[in-house]
Amino acid sequence: MPCRAELPHLADLEKTFEGEPVTVIALLSGRLTGATAEFAKDCEVIHLVCEDVTGEIRDAFGTVSVPTTVVIDETGRVMFEHVGFDEGLEEQFAEEIRTLLAWARET
Amino acid sequence: MRLGIWLVVVVVVVAAGIWAWNARETAALDRELAGLWEIASPDTAFAAAVDFLNRHDNLDESRAGEVVLVLSNAAFEAGEIDGLVAVLDSLRASQLPRPVINRLSTELHDALVIRTIMSPTEGDVPRANEIARELLLVDDVSAEAYRMMASIRAGVLRDSPDVSDHWLTVELVQKADVAIAEDPEDERTFSLDSAYGVLLGHVSSSRGLDAAFAMADSIVGDGEDATLAAVIDAARYRIAVDSEPELALAAARRFASSGDAVDYWYIPFAIGRDVRDRGLDLDLALSLAEWSLSLSSTRRESALTHEAVGWTHHVMGDRGRAREHLEASVARLRSAPRFEDSSVRRLLEVYEVYEDAGADEEAVELLATIVARSVLPNEEACGRLSALLVRAGRPADDLDALVESYRYAGVGRAPDFTAAYSSGGTVSLEELRGRIVLLNLWSYG
């Protein structure tokens, strides 16, 4: 399941950019309880999880399927978006964050 | 006389009292039922729904169905398929009314089939089949429930080597046609296509094309059911196209003339794309692609069908229409266009193949946007952009400045939001200005 495959990589991304102005958020459709909470704990991402209980935020982003990963720059622009997850995509996310950090330093 | 009048008054007063009491009880029941939907925690909602069913053992089917929906939604949300199966099993063994038990059984069937993906258990499919056969004999299950069962089976059990699994799926969609439904036509085309497509595919693989076509003929019968006839023709195309392309083409042409009988975009889209890519009949491919575009409703569907129409026009040599539809497709992509997006590559080919198309500026814009937002080196895109600049008589030195100017082309702002961390506290995008944010939207199920 792509959502579950991606989640462990979020913790790695957070560690990679520790000390940098980067925030990683795992926005869950629904509430974090039961098996979902156990899974998030196992992936060491439970501190990154926010709850989108009604799906309002997901709708605001126009997201049709999950996982969807959106990379937003320092001014709030949606610079990159990925629907789905394949192993290796986490490297792409890291490069995108590095690129946006570099562009932010230029301005 | 006076006694008679008093008797009538007493009867009326008592009847009114009973009516008022019933109305109060019903209102309280509905309030409690509405309250189940308000429970935020899936675990709590699950327990509350089970408790509600046990306390109100005389529910009408509509209310019972609603409670079962709360229960299974909560279980799926919490990822508790095993728990759902256990609870449904115990509720089915209780003294609840038969319509409620049957409603529970549909959910149990679906949970058992889905569990074969998540945590396979050997006995799940035989149990699911047994439940499906029981439900085929009752008259109080809705059409929607039968179609859901069939759709889940067609997806999850597609590769089952047992033809009886596929026949059972077909029987469920047939039963849906005679069951009571709020919207009898909702997803009918999709569920018929799923069930019969899997069945005929299995028969073709195991017993040969002739056997599958003979079965298809018997299924269609006198052809009075136009939607059924159409999806059977779609299935004929898929199973015949590799070995008997003329037979397949005949089926595709019949399918293309089925008009309003088909309301599901993906079937004409997929067949049209295949007909085009095999070079079988480009006019037919275009007709199917345009039909799928007319049926598309979401942005993603529209992007895919515009691409299909555009590329078919390109293959047929109509560069103007090709460009129009491919540009429409690319415009519907949500994020920065990527070189890997098929609609982007196709549009670039249209821009660049026809040198007199006068599309150099548009090609430069598209490539510059791609290069600007390629975080990993994209030498192919860079190379093509440089070549275009040279062709347009612009100095190659322009490249870096050009690319930088497209860095934010077509970029939109993220909608502001505030969300609660599960561990406490909140976060808002507004407060995160100045930081790069990676936002992952996910679910457990």
Side-chain angles (χ1 to χ4, degrees):
Chain A
M1 305 232 164
C3 278
R4 299 192 215 174
E6 183 173 359
L7 221 56
H9 296 292
L10 298 183
D12 295 336
L13 278 168
E14 191 199 26
K15 284 184 192 125
T16 300
F17 292 100
E18 199 173 340
E20 299 271 17
V22 174
T23 298
V24 178
I25 300 173
L27 188 70
L28 170 67
S29 289
R31 286 226 183 246
L32 187 72
T33 59
T36 317
E38 285 305 311
F39 179 72
K41 271 187 209 142
D42 289 343
C43 295
E44 298 178 3
V45 297
I46 200 153
H47 62 292
L48 302 177
V49 175
C50 289
E51 295 168 323
D52 181 17
V53 177
T54 61
E56 195 179 330
I57 301 172
R58 181 174 156 163
D59 290 343
F61 274 87
T63 301
V64 175
S65 62
V66 288
T68 290
T69 306
V70 178
V71 189
I72 302 167
D73 78 359
E74 78 285 2
T75 72
R77 286 176 287 217
V78 177
M79 295 300 294
F80 305 101
E81 180 174 333
H82 303 271
V83 179
F85 180 76
D86 292 314
E87 289 299 325
L89 197 55
E90 70 277 9
E91 291 300 324
Q92 174 98 6
F93 296 157
E95 281 304 320
E96 287 168 0
I97 292 172
R98 283 190 198 101
T99 299
L100 293 183
L101 283 169
W103 288 350
R105 286 184 204 111
E106 285 174 13
T107 55
Chain B
M1 176 70 170
R2 193 173 287 182
L3 181 60
I5 292 171
W6 274 113
L7 274 173
V8 167
V9 167
V10 165
V11 166
V12 166
V13 166
V14 168
I18 291 171
W19 178 85
W21 182 83
N22 280 336
R24 219 172 18 248
E25 288 295 300
T26 302
L29 189 70
D30 285 339
R31 272 197 303 277
E32 192 180 350
L33 184 51
L36 290 179
W37 288 104
E38 302 298 321
I39 299 173
S41 158
D43 292 331
T44 309
F46 189 76
V50 171
D51 177 63
F52 186 95
L53 279 171
N54 283 325
R55 282 187 294 109
H56 299 290
D57 58 5
N58 200 29
L59 286 176
D60 59 88
E61 190 192 340
S62 169
R63 288 186 175 89
E66 199 175 331
V67 179
V68 170
L69 199 56
V70 170
L71 192 153
S72 54
N73 280 353
F76 278 108
E77 191 177 341
E80 297 285 1
I81 302 298
D82 289 340
L84 176 63
V85 168
V87 165
L88 289 172
D89 263 334
S90 84
L91 286 172
R92 285 172 79 237
S94 68
Q95 298 303 312
L96 292 167
R98 183 48 46 184
V100 179
I101 299 289
N102 289 337
R103 186 70 180 85
L104 291 167
S105 295
T106 66
E107 297 292 334
L108 179 57
H109 167 276
D110 296 348
L112 287 167
V113 174
I114 288 171
R115 193 161 72 172
T116 64
I117 314 171
M118 298 168 83
S119 51
T121 303
E122 200 178 313
D124 280 349
V125 173
R127 267 206 77 198
N129 288 348
E130 186 187 326
I131 292 168
R133 287 189 196 99
E134 287 170 6
L135 291 172
L136 285 171
L137 300 175
V138 304
D139 294 314
D140 49 20
V141 171
S142 70
E144 286 83 6
Y146 284 120
R147 290 206 180 103
M148 178 61 75
M149 291 167 68
S151 296
I152 288 174
R153 292 176 67 88
V156 176
L157 304 180
R158 169 173 292 275
D159 295 325
S160 168
D162 188 343
V163 72
S164 65
D165 285 342
H166 307 307
W167 269 120
L168 192 47
T169 305
V170 165
E171 286 181 74
L172 288 167
V173 295
Q174 289 172 339
K175 182 75 178 184
D177 277 349
V178 298
I180 296 169
E182 286 183 7
D183 183 1
E185 297 307 315
D186 184 42
E187 296 199 355
R188 183 173 187 258
T189 310
F190 167 74
S191 62
L192 285 175
D193 183 58
S194 301
Y196 284 107
V198 170
L199 172 67
L200 291 174
H202 174 87
V203 171
S204 178
S205 302
S206 58
R207 287 158 45 191
L209 191 63
D210 288 343
F213 265 56
M215 183 178 287
D217 288 340
S218 73
I219 290 169
V220 173
D222 56 16
E224 273 195 16
D225 186 337
T227 301
L228 179 61
V231 301
I232 295 300
D233 274 328
R236 282 192 179 109
Y237 175 85
R238 288 185 209 114
I239 61 177
V241 70
D242 284 335
S243 57
E244 298 283 350
E246 284 308 316
L247 267 183
L249 213 47
R253 288 185 183 120
R254 281 194 307 272
F255 172 77
S257 64
S258 48
D260 290 342
V262 171
D263 58 3
Y264 180 42
W265 72 280
Y266 188 75
I267 308 176
F269 166 79
I271 295 177
R273 180 179 56 186
D274 196 68
V275 168
R276 178 197 71 210
D277 290 347
R278 291 175 190 263
L280 294 174
D281 181 337
L282 291 178
D283 288 322
L284 176 63
L286 182 61
S287 167
L288 288 165
E290 287 174 340
W291 185 18
S292 73
L293 177 59
S294 73
L295 293 173
S296 66
S297 55
T298 67
R299 188 184 56 212
R300 177 177 173 271
E301 289 169 12
S302 180
L304 289 169
T305 50
H306 268 296
E307 181 191 330
V309 173
W311 195 242
T312 308
H313 276 300
H314 169 67
V315 171
M316 294 172 79
D318 186 340
R319 69 190 72 150
R321 289 225 171 102
R323 183 174 154 178
E324 173 196 331
H325 285 282
L326 288 171
E327 284 175 348
S329 175
V330 171
R332 280 159 175 80
L333 295 174
R334 274 191 57 86
S335 61
R338 295 176 309 142
F339 216 46
E340 296 75 27
D341 292 333
S342 69
S343 55
V344 169
R345 293 189 77 99
R346 294 201 196 281
L347 182 56
L348 283 171
E349 189 162 337
V350 166
Y351 283 154
E352 295 182 2
V353 163
Y354 300 108
E355 291 185 18
D356 61 346
D360 281 356
E361 278 308 310
E362 285 84 355
V364 164
E365 188 177 310
L366 182 56
L367 276 166
T369 306
I370 291 168
V371 173
R373 293 220 279 281
S374 294
V375 295
L376 299 174
N378 194 334
E379 291 187 15
E380 189 180 351
C382 272
R384 287 172 83 159
L385 181 57
S386 294
L388 267 178
L389 289 177
V390 168
R391 195 166 89 185
R394 291 166 70 167
D397 291 351
D398 269 3
L399 184 68
D400 290 341
L402 176 72
V403 165
E404 195 171 315
S405 72
Y406 277 94
R407 187 183 284 178
Y408 300 108
V411 169
R413 295 216 163 267
D416 195 18
F417 65 87
T418 301
Y421 278 108
S422 61
S423 50
T426 59
V427 63
S428 88
L429 199 56
E430 183 71 30
E431 288 167 1
L432 293 174
R433 289 281 183 271
R435 298 179 71 80
I436 309 301
V437 177
L438 184 139
L439 176 68
N440 170 241
L441 296 101
W442 69 289
S443 70
Y444 182 72

